Amino acid sequence: MKQSILIVDDDDDILSALSLLLQAEGFTSIKADSPAQAIAAIRQYDVSLILMDLNYSLDTTSGEEGLNLINTIRQHNELVPIVVMTGWGTIEVAVAAIKSGANDFIQKPWENDRLLMTINNQIRLAQAQKQSQKLIRHNELLQAEIRPATDIVAESAAMQRVLETLHQVARSDASILLTGENGTGKSLFARLIHELSTRRHAPHISVNMGAVTESLFESEMFGHTKGAFTDAKSARIGRFELADEGTLFLDEIANTPYSQQGKLLRVLEDRQFEKVGSGITQTVDFRLVTATNAELNLAVNAGSFRKDLLYRINTVEIEIPALRYRPEDILPLASAFLAKAAQKYSQPPLEISSAAKKLLQTYAWPGNVRELNHVMERAHILCKTSAVQPSDLGINSIAPVAENIGLDSEQEYLKSLSEMEQEIINRRLSYFGGDALKAAKSLGLSRSAFYRRLEKHEQTER
Ligand SMILES: Nc1ncnc2c1ncn2[C@@H]1O[C@H](COP(=O)(O)OP(=O)(O)O)[C@@H](O)[C@H]1O
Ligand SMILES: [Mg+2]
């Protein structure tokens, strides 16, 4: 990408001469003939360096206008290099400029080679500085993140298909939406997408949208400048900027506060944003991966999720099936988790008794792979023999299928069985995108039995 340099001078001849010189060196040049124009340009473009005169129309020697401009720029942007141009014999003004936050100065009339060397050095320095700030912030985030060191287990045909699709789309830059119940592996597969992509050497930045409070949303996502608000004692780099050149993973996307969805949409559409407290527009380049356990279509209908945001994120949608729909994966996963637990506690790995195997396979796994992981680790701890017994598992096979109908809430107790049945049928239907056969199968019903129930409810509704 071409670096753009903003040239600020009230002398047209100087603007043209510098502009030609910089373009010949491969830079893009933006010209401004007054401080006001310079500020306007900074708001509009993501400039890599500012080359500016100190004296404008007001008076011609004090440099006051130039110093004011430096101060204004620094309020918005601490990093962009500023090189000032001063006349002969005005070394005091040059010193004042550096004190105000300029990075270097050159004297007019300038020597081309020297000017270009100064510019290139300053741009390189600023890049290194930005990179190190990013690294520091990235390390902070890494420390907070628990990284799964898991080998992926995918024996079932359903998961083989999922993996095949993942491999196919990972190399493209398409936005990917991962759907599936809690614990099915969405976060794990988001990371896999990153690792399979051409962006694997750049950061994978993960944000749980449910955990970002509404009041901190902008500062967390866009970053802020020093002093942008009372608590902003130092500048902060936001998640979008950190994800530059890498992958941005927005987890639990359905939980994004409605009031923030418009702001999110803008960055996703234009890949542009401004830090809180800054008018400077920054451009970022990232691959977007999102995940949710919610039915976004329903959320759109209910008015809690923006339709345009949904269309922006679901270029490719990959559904991770619940564990109970791919029972072939249960035992391989169980063995892998048991082996992992043995390693964690530096103990020999355990076998799984056939009775325990049977129980594992008949249980409904409402918490999916995450729950299986916990169950196996606990079994490792509780097991007194060399093979895990059903009693070590702490589950029973008639545990309810997670239907998320909130059986504990008070309102549920006011509902009749028939009302709950209707709710389950509707949810299943929308979960399978209106495919009645799939919905019926998932409930253990024949298609006709499913339709009979559907009709019964439609009649009572009338
Ligand atoms: N296919 C899989 N193979 C191995 N481990 C898995 C698999 N799917 C999920 N896991 C593990 O199960 C746990 C839950 O997965 P996670 O990605 O956090 O689920 P989700 O984001 O869908 O809630 C994690 O520890 C993850 O490493
Ligand atoms: Mg997750």
Side-chain angles (χ1 to χ4, degrees), residues 186-206:
K186 298 183 296 298
S187 300
L188 181 67
F189 292 118
R191 182 163 273 283
L192 179 70
I193 290 171
H194 175 71
E195 248 120 61
L196 292 172
S197 78
T198 52
R199 297 169 179 269
R200 64 184 162 276
H201 299 300
H204 173 81
I205 300 296
S206 154

Side-chain angles (χ1 to χ4, degrees), residues 182-188 208 249 251-252 291 370:
N182 279 337
T184 47
K186 298 183 296 298
S187 300
L188 181 67
N208 181 343
F249 173 46
D251 202 359
E252 315 281 1
R370 178 178 295 119

Side-chain angles (χ1 to χ4, degrees), residues 243-298:
D244 197 19
E245 293 175 8
T247 305
L248 180 66
F249 173 46
L250 302 181
D251 202 359
E252 315 281 1
I253 184 83
N255 295 341
T256 313
Y258 192 84
S259 60
Q260 311 301 327
Q261 289 176 17
K263 290 171 202 156
L264 184 59
L265 182 66
R266 188 200 151 206
V267 194
L268 300 185
E269 277 179 344
D270 305 341
R271 298 292 198 258
Q272 285 189 335
F273 68 96
E274 286 94 30
K275 282 201 175 72
V276 178
S278 160
I280 298 166
T281 301
Q282 291 179 260
T283 306
V284 277
D285 168 37
F286 57 80
R287 179 321 154 66
L288 179 72
V289 179
T290 51
T292 184
N293 61 1
E295 286 298 326
L296 287 179
N297 282 323
L298 297 185

